[in-house]
Amino acid sequence: MIEYGKKLRDEIRSTPDLFRRVYRYAFVLCRMQGQRNLNFDIAAEQWRLFFTDENGGISWNTPTTPWLDWYLEFLEQRGKRPVNKDLWEQTLEFMRKTHEDENFGWWSADGAWPGTLDDFVEWVQSKRKSAAGGEAMEVE
């Protein structure tokens, strides 16, 4: 049984479609009965499982950017609001896009991202600007 669990975790990590299906199902599984949204604290714990290597997921943090840490910090500063299904699902897509290009070359303020992710991009840019002591990078 332990070997099967290890094999399943490895398969989830190495098969993007399976990872996405399990990730999406976690939203439904973790909601309180009768609720449409996921409690922030539960969502944060799930993100820590899905987006870290040590917990059997895919690491969102990179050598240059602590994405998961910043995302949770940002959401906590906003008041730990409940997470709706759209934000839950788009967070996975956002994570994948940041792995492809950490400088937001793919980002557009006119895109169909949830407003929370738009605000997170601005927050990251501001944080990077403060750390660099200079101008924030331009985003279309």
Side-chain angles (χ1 to χ4, degrees), residues 47-69:
W47 283 323
R48 286 184 187 100
L49 291 172
F50 279 105
F51 298 142
T52 58
D53 278 335
E54 58 271 7
N55 291 315
I58 299 170
S59 182
W60 189 2
N61 290 341
T62 65
T64 58
T65 307
W67 290 105
L68 178 61
D69 302 334

Side-chain angles (χ1 to χ4, degrees), residues 67 98 101-107 125 128 137-139:
W67 290 105
T98 58
D101 177 6
E102 293 191 59
N103 293 315
F104 300 118
W106 48 271
W107 185 261
Q125 290 171 333
R128 286 178 172 170
M137 61 185 174
E138 290 290 320
V139 173

Side-chain angles (χ1 to χ4, degrees), residues 45-132:
E45 285 306 310
Q46 290 301 306
W47 283 323
R48 286 184 187 100
L49 291 172
F50 279 105
F51 298 142
T52 58
D53 278 335
E54 58 271 7
N55 291 315
I58 299 170
S59 182
W60 189 2
N61 290 341
T62 65
T64 58
T65 307
W67 290 105
L68 178 61
D69 302 334
W70 281 2
Y71 190 57
L72 295 176
E73 178 184 342
F74 167 76
L75 294 174
E76 286 174 3
Q77 287 177 2
R78 289 175 55 104
K80 296 184 172 186
R81 298 176 190 159
V83 175
N84 65 31
K85 185 176 181 181
D86 186 44
L87 180 58
W88 177 261
E89 291 180 0
Q90 292 302 310
T91 296
L92 174 61
E93 297 309 313
F94 186 86
M95 181 273 293
R96 290 190 174 171
K97 290 296 222 177
T98 58
H99 273 193
E100 293 171 12
D101 177 6
E102 293 191 59
N103 293 315
F104 300 118
W106 48 271
W107 185 261
S108 169
D110 297 329
W113 297 96
T116 299
L117 291 174
D118 289 329
D119 295 344
F120 179 61
V121 169
E122 288 180 22
W123 187 87
V124 168
Q125 290 171 333
S126 176
K127 195 163 185 78
R128 286 178 172 170
K129 178 183 175 185
S130 296

Side-chain angles (χ1 to χ4, degrees), residues 7-19 56-58:
K7 180 181 177 237
L8 189 57
R9 277 193 303 277
D10 290 344
E11 187 177 341
I12 289 170
R13 272 204 289 215
S14 64
T15 310
D17 186 55
L18 179 59
F19 186 91
I58 299 170

